[in-house]
Amino acid sequence: HAQKKWRAVCVKNKQAIFGGFQMKHTDIAKVLRDASLMGQEVTVCGWVRTARDSAAVAFLEITDGTSFSRLQVVVDKNKLALDPECTKCGASVRAKGVVVKAFKGDGAELNATEVTLLGKCPPEYPIQKKRTTLDFLRGIPHLRLRTNTFAAVFRVRSVAAQAVHRYFHERGYYYINKIGRASCRERV
């Protein structure tokens, strides 16, 4: 039950699917590393990790899991009405805007022309700005990937598994899934 409570986005073939309609979007990792996107309008989807809000400007840091780095979305509140739910940690949002050079550093940020709330985050959402312990994360396995620790572990695991598969494939071996008793029916 709790797992479905926070699920807001289903992604398939670089298209986000929400309530039956599809939208094209760009991975945040690509926005952060591809200099050719500077000055271009893009749409990104992700969940809010942190937010700072003032009377005139709001800053949302969003992530989609494709990068450890987060994309800062700058919202000029004089030009754009921002739903207060979009500033809550864990909310799922779609941001459309122009990619510009980050105010600080060499990265990129997004000057938003549109921010849409895709999924509200309940007030009892367990992952906040503060550091979470591994013991605490055992109780919320469906949200572990949203933490930097587990994202790093799963990335390393993915690269290691791919290297092992490539090594054996290049030497003429085949990967075969073992069929165990649990997956076979015995005839009596």
Side-chain angles (χ1 to χ4, degrees):
H1 302 290
Q3 189 169 5
K4 290 182 182 178
K5 196 172 193 178
W6 287 292
R7 185 182 301 159
V9 180
C10 172
V11 176
K12 182 176 184 180
N13 298 330
K14 302 289 184 225
Q15 290 187 358
I17 302 168
F18 304 97
F21 69 93
Q22 296 182 345
M23 69 184 106
K24 295 258 184 194
H25 70 277
T26 305
D27 288 339
I28 288 176
K30 183 175 182 179
V31 173
L32 293 172
R33 74 171 178 261
D34 189 352
S36 70
L37 290 176
M38 288 290 177
Q40 302 293 316
E41 185 172 80
V42 298
T43 301
V44 294
C45 298
W47 62 89
V48 177
R49 290 296 298 259
T50 63
R52 296 181 313 279
D53 197 9
S54 69
V57 176
F59 300 95
L60 307 175
E61 283 193 2
I62 65 171
T63 184
D64 62 0
T66 59
S67 170
F68 278 123
S69 301
R70 302 168 189 162
L71 178 65
Q72 179 165 272
V73 177
V74 181
V75 180
D76 183 350
K77 293 170 86 177
N78 295 322
K79 297 179 183 175
L80 182 65
L82 183 64
D83 185 341
E85 290 291 326
C86 290
T87 62
K88 295 190 177 167
C89 184
S92 179
V93 297
R94 175 185 62 184
K96 186 176 184 179
V98 178
V99 179
V100 296
K101 186 180 180 320
F103 184 70
K104 292 182 180 177
D106 295 329
E109 60 186 27
L110 188 73
N111 283 344
T113 56
E114 178 184 327
V115 177
T116 308
L117 179 68
L118 300 175
K120 284 185 178 182
C121 189
E124 67 273 7
Y125 180 71
I127 300 175
Q128 298 298 323
K129 282 185 185 182
K130 64 182 185 202
R131 189 175 178 91
T132 54
T133 65
L134 294 177
D135 215 22
F136 173 75
L137 292 172
R138 282 192 189 109
I140 51 169
H142 57 288
L143 295 175
R144 287 181 193 163
L145 190 55
R146 290 191 179 189
T147 66
N148 288 339
T149 303
F150 276 90
V153 167
F154 292 138
R155 279 185 172 93
V156 169
R157 181 179 179 210
S158 174
V159 170
Q162 185 180 26
V164 168
H165 284 278
R166 187 180 324 109
Y167 174 85
F168 283 107
H169 180 74
E170 289 171 354
R171 285 156 180 78
Y173 289 89
Y174 295 98
Y175 179 71
I176 300 171
N177 285 316
K178 177 183 169 191
I179 299 174
R181 275 196 234 165
S183 58
C184 297
R185 291 187 177 182
E186 293 183 28
R187 292 195 159 161
V188 180

